[in-house]
């Protein structure tokens, strides 16, 4: 990794980064995310989880992937063929695009977009389109119900997600994720001599972000689009074979991407106090991974312990609680920023 | 039958209840009998719905179940019930007359409908029974008096073929729509038993002696029916 | 994979097979959704056809019978001992509790009574069946509402009770332990002590679930006020068990009706709640499991010694007559109306199962609720398919 | 090419990666997977029963459109928060008051929708 | 076009693919009768924990399932649905018939409404005897099925 980093600007560097960020990280996070999900769930439930495929079942994803490759690719009667086939790919695109702007080291980010955070919010909602495509094209009632639920839910939680981020922008004064990390590493808490991870000053924002991310990911308690006991598997009901795996993986990979973004925004990203230069370059990814795992742990923890809301309760929670709270948070942050 | 005679056979717990029924239905009450905390009343077919209303008015408001009985004997139905221990079988077949059945609260016809109601306040149970004319299996529905009777009447319709007059929705509840016959009637025989009688009928000791005959199903049936005949005759 | 042409034929028949005719109201225009027969919310094979408007249920029609095995007919062609084997499988979660009322009805006709020790053991096993049954409900309700973890704890702790049942009866699932006049055999040594230890664990399990689900705000928001059944409607439909007591009707057959079992010899309480909603039904069942552990504790301490079998002939012939015995089973009132003509088996058995009545309220109860609430209501009414369809 | 567009060219390439990946794996899968059509295999799954209608009454289901309208309004308005958020310090008290009024108007809209029952069940 | 249709599978590839299927048996949660509870105990109870073997009970829809466990009594009313659900599973698919009822009708051998054996309507790979079989028996059946899958000739099975 160091060698890639010190190659400097140039096409080789770009290719190196591309390989690292597009293949290594998503694959790694899928593998880890998947095993992590299964293992964590099992251990929470007093079980062992997959044990046979590889040591402690770490190759479960490989087995699943290869198995799904061999599965028949079914399409129900009356489905819209093109849209049905395209939906999982759109979903995967949305996931991959999230990884573009996540900085994993001082110089390691595929594209340090100036509009980074804005871009993240925009790209993450592409998945809604994929879900609506999948549900609409399936010619299945459960799918359609699930897709419409997903639509209603994701648009309701897009706003709190946006609002929770505004506080961070006010404090850091930049939209770039790399800039936010640096602002956190160098900044101090409202003029006090304390280093500022935005978790401290923006804990309301963090809280809203975490809940909205949970809802965006359609994880329990917000998993109505997939509610197994109500509408079987929601928009994924008719998907079989590898297309289902694409959906399934992009779900866990998005969970990891959003965790990484949350840790970048609120936990300081790759930065560690008092470590700069090459060392930061080396340990940065691992620091980020640790923080990401922490937040992913939170997300999955909620997922495996809580019952799910009802659709109207979810809407009410978003519109009547999270959005007003987000607005208040912005105003308070702005007042502090202006006053100090 | 005079009313006084009958009241005496009923325990004190139920004297009120029976009096109520006789007052409301008069001729409709045919017979009654009580055992411990349960009361059986047999009413006329025509006063079946009225009986439910009376019961409900005197606080028998818990609907327990409703079903039918087919009193016809059918010996070929319960094949292994014919099987008896060899020593006893001759005796019971030949010497003893078939035991006379004691129907609680009596009855004349082949089919009866009976239902149980319960009074939560008094903690007393009430069975209502009525006879059905075999040629015209029609009876009033309870479904508008006790909501719970709806499904029970559907079940009884399916199982016995009784028609409940006034029931909005008589359709199959358990069996596929295409099912033919009324399974709980005694003349509905179980096909599996006709094709292959209960293996317990055949004395397991005899089996090794005739190994060739067990090849086809047909010979199996013959063999087993022979065996059972033998055991009865010997 | 023997004969491909046969399989094609099977496929064709299956495609042509007519579904059961459903309610006319539902067959009309509109969005109609099938829940079941293969659906996670229906605990197996109940099918509920709902007509939707948005996600609001306009009308619902439960279609049962996918598990109909013809029990009432089969009892007519079986001997009493064979019937006991069979009826274990009606309510498959609380198997032992199914045997007891049938055996009691047969004993009533024969005018024998099991000796006290047998009565005690029957009651202990009966309550254990209740715990084994309701603990699944307690976990399953969480799964239905999306919290998947509690059911793992339920199945983990249920094993303690199943082990005990197995060590006493030899059957982990379907004990078939009752005989007319008593029991198959006596308890193994040390069983009572280990029972009391297991009951401590079960109480701990109840506490755990109380913290995990009952006190959870989301769970409460999903359950409170959902599927309210007023007392008079409940009685009218013949609801029983916890469903009835959660509607405020103070009626428990264990307390209110005499039978030859040992409940009257110990000190316990019938819990009644007034709300009549899904939450009350859950809470009540949780309390009942706790109460059952206390009953078992007391009975284990006060169990009398003596024989476990009354004097009955080897080949059982039940004298002619009719008898009805009901007991408070885990799911509600279960009763057997046994008619004997003096043969080796019952002439006719009417099996009054609790779930059948409990489910018959669904068309009334589901009208106007929302699709997610359908699942809450189904889970909280708690039915077992074998118990509905027999 | 400007740096700005250059950046988004990268994004575009990234978007291609999953498309290529899925196309390749699905092509590979085609080599490995069997194709065994059966009579009922492609009937839409509805818990093992016959689906009542192949095309369901979709207009019945779309009850979210009011929420969607509210969302569009809110999302566009929330976008206006971003430029201000970047320059809070430099815009100072004036900007703060301006944005307070702005948020107040936003909240009025929310309260209106709330009172109108848009946030009720679907 | 596909390798399977050409009956061409090099041995190492076949080995890898078999192992992948072996360790990833997704089974959909669907019980029929008493056996369903023992099946649930196998899936859910930490004491048995079938997920160890790679049997993952996630999907509720047959579209994502590889394995169908027919656990319990199959009635004539249910049989068409079972056949349909089996067909709706994508190939390659496996069936375990669990319990006496699914094997042969079991204690309801003479009933008027019970199908005497699920193998009349769908092909069964493994039969588990018992009424109901203990969870250990189901685990054994799954191990047997895995052994069967590991030595399977893919093209033989998939082309009929």
């Amino acid at each position: 990794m160091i060698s890639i980093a010190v190659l400097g600007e140039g096409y080789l560097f770009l290719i190196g980064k591309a390989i690292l960020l597009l293949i290594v990280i998503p694959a790694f996070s899928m593998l880890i995310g998947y095993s992590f999900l299964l293992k964590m769930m099992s251990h929470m439930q007093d079980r062992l989880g997959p044990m046979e495929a590889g040591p402690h079942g770490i190759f479960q994803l490989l087995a699943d992937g290869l198995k799904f490759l061999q599965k028949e690719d079914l399409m129900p009667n009356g489905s819209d063929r093109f849209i049905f086939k395209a939906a999982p790919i759109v979903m995967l695109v949305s996931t991959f695009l999230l990884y573009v702007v996540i900085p994993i080291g001082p110089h390691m980010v595929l594209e340090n977009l100036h509009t980074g955070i804005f871009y993240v919010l925009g790209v993450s909602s592409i998945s809604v389109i994929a879900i609506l495509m999948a549900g609409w094209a399936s010619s299945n009632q459960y799918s359609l119900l699930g897709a419409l639920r997903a639509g209603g839910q994701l648009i309701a939680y897009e706003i709190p997600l946006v609002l929770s981020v505004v506080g961070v922008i006010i404090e850091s004064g930049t939209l770039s994720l790399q800039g936010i990390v640096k602002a956190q590493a160098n900044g101090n808490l409202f003029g006090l001599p304390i280093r500022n991870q935005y978790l401290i000053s923006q804990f309301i924002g963090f809280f809203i972000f975490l809940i909205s991310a949970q809802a965006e990911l359609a994880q329990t308690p917000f998993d109505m689009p997939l509610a197994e006991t109500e509408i079987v598997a929601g928009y994924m009901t008719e998907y079989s074979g590898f297309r289902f795996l694409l959906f399934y993986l992009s779900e866990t990979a998005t969970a990891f991407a959003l965790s990484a973004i949350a840790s970048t925004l609120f936990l300081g990203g790759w930065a560690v106090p008092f470590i700069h230069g090459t060392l930061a370059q080396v340990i940065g990814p691992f620091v980020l991974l640790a923080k990401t795992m922490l937040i992913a742990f939170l997300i999955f923890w909620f997922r495996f312990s809580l019952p799910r809301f009802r659709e109207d309760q979810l809407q009410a929670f978003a519109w009547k609680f999270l959005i007003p709270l987000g607005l208040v948070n912005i105003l308070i942050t702005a007042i502090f920023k202006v006053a100090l | 039958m005079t009313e006084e005679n009958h009241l005496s056979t009923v325990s004190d717990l139920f004297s009120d209840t029976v009096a109520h029924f006789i007052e409301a239905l008069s001729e409709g009450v045919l017979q009654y009998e009580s055992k411990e905390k349960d009361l059986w009343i047999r009413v006329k077919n025509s006063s079946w719905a009225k009986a439910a209303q009376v019961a409900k008015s005197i606080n028998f408001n818990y609907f327990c179940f409703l079903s039918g009985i087919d009193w016809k004997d059918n010996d070929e139905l319960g094949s292994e019930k014919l099987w008896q221990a060899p020593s006893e079988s001759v005796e019971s077949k030949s010497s003893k007359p078939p035991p006379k059945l004691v129907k609680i609260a009596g009855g004349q016809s082949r089919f009866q409908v009976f239902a149980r109601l319960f009074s939560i306040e008094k903690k007393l149970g009430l069975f209502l029974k009525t006879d059905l004319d075999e040629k015209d299996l029609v009876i009033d529905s309870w479904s508008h008096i006790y909501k719970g009777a709806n499904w029970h009447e559907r079940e009884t319709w399916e199982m016995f073929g009784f028609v409940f007059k006034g029931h909005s929705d008589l359709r199959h509840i358990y069996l596929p729509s295409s099912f033919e016959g009324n399974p709980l009637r005694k003349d509905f025989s179980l096909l599996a038993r006709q094709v292959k009688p209960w293996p317990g009928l055949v004395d397991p000791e005899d089996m090794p002696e005739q190994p060739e005959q067990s090849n086809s199903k047909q010979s199996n049936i013959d063999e087993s029916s022979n065996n059972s005949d033998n055991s009865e005759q010997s | 994979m023997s004969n491909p042409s046969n399989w094609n034929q099977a496929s064709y028949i299956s495609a042509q097979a007519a579904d059961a005719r459903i309610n006319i109201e539902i067959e009309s225009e509109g969005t109609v959704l099938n829940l079941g027969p293969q659906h996670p919310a229906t605990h197996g094979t109940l099918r509920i056809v709902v007509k939707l408007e948005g996600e609001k249920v306009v009308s619902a029609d439960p279609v049962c019978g996918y598990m109909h095995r013809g029990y009432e007919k089969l009892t007519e062609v079986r001997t009493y001992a064979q019937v006991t084997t069979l009826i274990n499988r009606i309510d498959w979660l609380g198997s032992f509790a199914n045997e007891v009322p049938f055996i009691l009805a047969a004993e009533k006709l024969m005018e024998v009574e099991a000796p006290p020790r047998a009565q005690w053991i029957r009651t202990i096993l009966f309550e254990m069946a209740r715990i084994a049954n309701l603990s699944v409900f307690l976990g399953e309700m969480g799964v239905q509402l999306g919290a998947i973890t509690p059911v793992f704890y339920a199945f983990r702790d249920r094993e303690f009770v199943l082990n005990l049942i197995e060590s006493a009866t030899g059957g982990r699932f379907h004990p078939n332990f009752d005989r007319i006049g008593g029991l198959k055999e006596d308890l193994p040594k040390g069983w009572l002590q280990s029972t009391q230890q297991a009951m401590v664990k079960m109480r701990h399990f109840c506490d755990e679930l109380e913290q995990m689900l009952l006190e959870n705000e989301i769970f409460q928001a999903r359950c409170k006020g959902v599927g309210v059944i007023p007392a008079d409607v409940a009685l009218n439909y013949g609801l029983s068990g916890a469903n009835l007591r959660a509607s405020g009707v103070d009626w428990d057959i264990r307390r209110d009706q005499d039978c030859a079992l040992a409940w009257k010899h110990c000190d316990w309480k019938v819990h009644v709640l007034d709300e009549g909603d899904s939450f009350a039904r859950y809470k009540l069942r949780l309390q009942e499991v706790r109460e059952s552990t206390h009953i078992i504790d007391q009975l284990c301490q006060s169990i009398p010694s003596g024989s476990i079998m009354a004097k009955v002939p080897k080949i059982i012939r039940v004298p002619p007559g009719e008898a009805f015995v009901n007991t408070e089973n885990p799911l509600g009132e279960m009763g057997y109306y046994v008619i004997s003509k003096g043969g080796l088996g019952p002439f006719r058995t009417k099996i009054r199962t609790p779930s059948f009545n409990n489910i018959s309220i669904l068309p009334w109860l589901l009208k106007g609720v929302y699709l997610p609430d359908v699942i809450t209501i189904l889970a909280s009414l708690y039915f077992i398919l074998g118990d509905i369809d027999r | 090419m400007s740096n700005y567009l250059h950046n988004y060219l990268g994004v575009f390439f990234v978007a291609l990666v999953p498309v290529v990946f899925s196309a390749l794996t699905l092509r590979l899968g085609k080599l490995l997977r069997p194709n065994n059509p059966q009579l009922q295999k492609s009937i839409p799954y509805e818990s093992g029963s016959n689906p009542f209608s192949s095309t369901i009454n979709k207009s019945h289901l779309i009850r979210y459109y009011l929420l969607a309208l509210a969302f569009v309004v809110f999302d566009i308005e929330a976008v206006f928060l971003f430029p201000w958020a970047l320059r809070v310090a430099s815009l100072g008290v004036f900007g703060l008051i301006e944005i307070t009024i702005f948020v107040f108007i936003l909240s009025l809209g929310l309260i209106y929708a709330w009172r109108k029952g848009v946030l009720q069940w679907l | 076009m596909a390798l399977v249709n050409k009956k061409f599978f090099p041995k190492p590839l076949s080995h890898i693919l078999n192992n992948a299927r072996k360790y990833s048996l997704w089974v959909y949660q669907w019980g029929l009768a008493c056996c369903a509870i023992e099946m649930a105990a196998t899936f859910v109870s930490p004491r048995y924990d079938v997920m160890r073997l790679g049997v993952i009970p996630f999907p509720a829809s047959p579209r994502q399932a590889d394995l169908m466990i027919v656990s319990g009594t199959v009635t004539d009313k249910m049989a068409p649905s079972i056949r349909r659900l089996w067909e709706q599973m994508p190939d390659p698919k496996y069936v375990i018939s669990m319990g006496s009822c699914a094997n042969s009708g079991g204690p309801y051998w003479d009933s008027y409404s019970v199908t005497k054996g699920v193998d009349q309507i769908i092909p069964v790979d493994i039969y588990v005897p018992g009424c109901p079989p203990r969870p250990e028996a189901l685990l054994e059946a799954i191990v047997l099925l895995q052994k069967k899958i590991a030595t399977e000739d893919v093209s033989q099975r998939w082309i009929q």
Side-chain angles (χ1 to χ4, degrees), chain A residues 64 67 70-71 228 238, chain E residues 21 24 58 63-64 66 92:
Chain A
D64 279 343
K67 190 237 12 212
Q70 301 170 65
K71 295 292 275 186
E228 196 173 75
E238 287 294 345
Chain E
R21 266 178 296 125
S24 166
F58 275 167
R63 301 292 190 190
Q64 292 112 36
D66 312 298

Side-chain angles (χ1 to χ4, degrees), chain B residues 67-68 80-81 152 155 186, chain C residues 76-77 347-348 357 390:
Chain B
S67 189
E80 79 259 34
K81 280 181 195 162
H152 285 265
E155 189 199 350
K186 293 285 174 188
Chain C
E76 293 175 11
V77 294
F347 176 72
R348 160 119 174 83
N357 281 37
R390 301 194 289 278

Side-chain angles (χ1 to χ4, degrees), chain E residues 115-131:
Chain E
T115 308
K116 279 84 189 170
V118 74
D119 49 4
Q120 291 179 20
I121 45 171
I122 55 173
V124 175
D125 289 284
I126 308 277
Y127 297 86
V128 193
C131 186

Side-chain angles (χ1 to χ4, degrees), chain E residues 19-34:
Chain E
N19 269 305
R21 266 178 296 125
K22 177 181 165 187
Y23 287 125
S24 166
L25 287 167
W26 289 41
V27 47
Y28 67 105
Q29 313 153 4
W30 170 38
L32 285 169
C34 333

Side-chain angles (χ1 to χ4, degrees), chain A residues 21 29 48 140:
Chain A
L21 290 154
S29 63
L48 288 172
N140 180 306

Side-chain angles (χ1 to χ4, degrees), chain C residues 16-68:
Chain C
Q16 297 297 312
D19 278 321
R21 197 167 78 74
I22 55 156
N23 208 320
I24 305 151
E25 208 180 332
I26 286 178
E27 277 169 352
S28 59
E29 285 280 299
T31 308
V32 179
L33 188 66
N34 278 306
L35 300 176
Q38 187 262 316
H39 192 273
T42 52
H43 310 250
T45 58
L46 183 68
R47 173 170 167 221
I48 294 173
V49 189
V50 286
K51 190 171 173 186
L52 295 176
E53 201 184 293
E55 289 209 20
K56 192 172 184 170
V57 177
V58 180
S59 59
D61 185 26
V63 182
C64 47
Y66 287 96
M67 202 34 59
H68 179 64

Side-chain angles (χ1 to χ4, degrees), chain D residues 5 8 12 38 53 64 69 74 89 101-102 106 109 113 115-116:
Chain D
L5 278 180
Y8 284 92
F12 174 71
Q38 277 165 320
S53 36
Y64 294 99
L69 282 180
F74 267 78
I101 294 166
F102 179 71
L106 255 177
R115 294 292 292 273
K116 275 281 172 186

Side-chain angles (χ1 to χ4, degrees), chain B residues 194-214:
Chain B
Q194 286 184 348
V195 176
K196 188 175 185 299
W198 176 246
L201 267 174
V202 189
D203 194 349
E205 299 298 315
D206 292 339
M207 295 295 270
E209 295 172 17
Q210 304 131 333
E212 296 93 356
Q213 286 182 12
S214 59

